[in-house]
Amino acid sequence: MARVGFIGLGNMGGGMAANLAKKGHDVRAFDLSAEAMERAKAAGCLPVASATEAAEGAEAVVTMLPAGRHVAQVYAESLGGAAASTILIDCSTIDVATARELAQGAAARGVPAVDAPVSGGIAAAEGGTLTFMVGGSAEAFELARPFLEDMGKAVIHAGGNGAGQAAKLCNNLILGSTMIATCEAFVLAQRLGLDPQTFFDISGQATGQSWSMTSYCPVPGVGPVSPADRDYRGGFAGALMLKDLNLAMAAAEGVQAQVPMGERARELYQAFADAGQGGLDFSGIIRMLDRG
């Protein structure tokens, strides 16, 4: 087993670090939150005093941070001394350009790096069933793969550096849009007199089926257990969906891609966040749509 530095122990990173520890890795963990550090310690990680200390002597360094500027700061201030034998794995969701710049900077020092954003949410992070979409060279991907496999169910090489982030943004463009359409359909179905469970049973086996419908239903008591059954607590916050849609819109503008559905989804999640609901799971937007 290997020594792993893990930087960023939030809702996603905490579960991911815990799974690495469960697999027998020596996980040196750091976060600015004392509470997060205590949870990591209880999960078998060794809390350390800084990101620099987490990275010292590590065979792999995993970052799971809120935005590109945070990742860039850690790479500049704490990972400059990383050895050529260390693989840098950024699992944050950030813009493609920053992901490429950070990998190029690492490569200039002889250090391999990949961008490996995740899909699956908090439950998958805790259960070790995440999907990783990985950008980087074939050699760097193979170095990162064993660590990612210890945290997920699927590890897919998307292409060169930045390709993982591109895949994540495109995936969440679909997810944000289909969740809104699913919520709209349930609201309409109920107003037309259809029982939600009956509509789920029908659409879940018809052409309207989607992951948002059958795996993450936005209606309480319908389908598998989801954040809707916990008053839309936990899961994937609406504010994070808005962040990802903003990144997707910026990426689309950069390559002159037409994304009208994505733009409308971004506008609706902006309204959701502006109404003070950004901390709720993104499926909670059904409440806003039901009031409209």
Side-chain angles (χ1 to χ4, degrees):
M1 293 296 101
R3 177 180 291 187
V4 180
F6 205 107
I7 302 164
L9 303 167
N11 289 334
M12 296 294 292
M16 294 164 64
N19 277 307
L20 287 171
K22 288 177 186 176
K23 294 291 185 177
H25 296 293
D26 174 11
V27 181
R28 309 295 173 97
F30 176 73
D31 193 278
L32 294 175
S33 165
E35 183 180 349
M37 294 276 273
E38 284 299 316
R39 288 196 299 268
K41 182 178 181 180
C45 303
L46 176 65
V48 294
S50 67
T52 301
E53 187 176 347
E56 287 177 356
E59 294 177 43
V61 177
V62 182
T63 43
M64 188 58 158
L65 299 166
R69 67 181 184 277
H70 304 111
V71 183
Q73 181 178 1
V74 167
Y75 272 52
E77 297 179 0
S78 302
L79 303 185
S85 57
T86 303
I87 176 68
L88 305 182
I89 305 171
D90 181 38
C91 294
S92 318
T93 297
I94 65 175
D95 61 284
V96 174
T98 297
R100 289 174 177 162
E101 289 169 5
L102 294 176
Q104 289 167 0
R109 305 193 309 271
V111 180
V114 298
D115 47 287
V118 308
S119 179
I122 294 173
E126 293 175 348
T129 58
L130 291 167
T131 293
F132 291 91
M133 44 211 89
V134 188
S137 68
E139 294 78 12
F141 172 73
E142 290 303 328
L143 290 172
R145 185 208 292 266
F147 301 101
L148 298 174
E149 287 179 341
D150 282 342
M151 298 184 286
K153 66 175 182 180
V155 179
I156 303 167
H157 190 197
N161 289 110
Q165 297 296 347
K168 174 64 183 288
L169 298 183
C170 292
N171 180 79
N172 277 20
L173 176 63
I174 295 172
L175 179 59
S177 301
T178 55
M179 179 55 77
I180 288 173
T182 300
C183 291
E184 289 178 340
F186 269 106
V187 170
L188 177 60
Q190 290 184 73
R191 293 191 182 186
L192 292 173
L194 278 173
D195 174 72
Q197 182 64 55
T198 300
F199 176 59
F200 174 88
D201 293 341
I202 293 169
S203 192
Q205 300 184 70
T207 52
Q209 189 276 335
S210 70
W211 185 88
S212 296
M213 165 73 71
T214 54
S215 296
Y216 211 84
C217 186
V219 179
V222 178
V225 174
S226 71
D229 300 300
R230 301 187 296 271
D231 198 30
Y232 302 99
R233 305 290 174 180
F236 185 61
L240 293 178
M241 176 57 77
L242 175 60
K243 169 201 161 185
D244 289 0
L245 290 172
N246 280 329
L247 289 172
M249 294 307 99
E253 183 177 358
V255 295
Q256 298 182 326
Q258 299 297 311
V259 285
M261 293 294 291
E263 179 57 38
R264 182 57 179 148
R266 188 203 65 79
E267 291 172 358
L268 289 168
Y269 276 105
Q270 184 68 65
F272 186 57
D274 289 346
Q277 305 300 300
L280 297 179
D281 182 75
F282 78 111
S283 64
I285 200 169
I286 192 170
R287 291 176 169 174
M288 186 181 84
L289 297 171
D290 200 15
R291 290 194 299 268

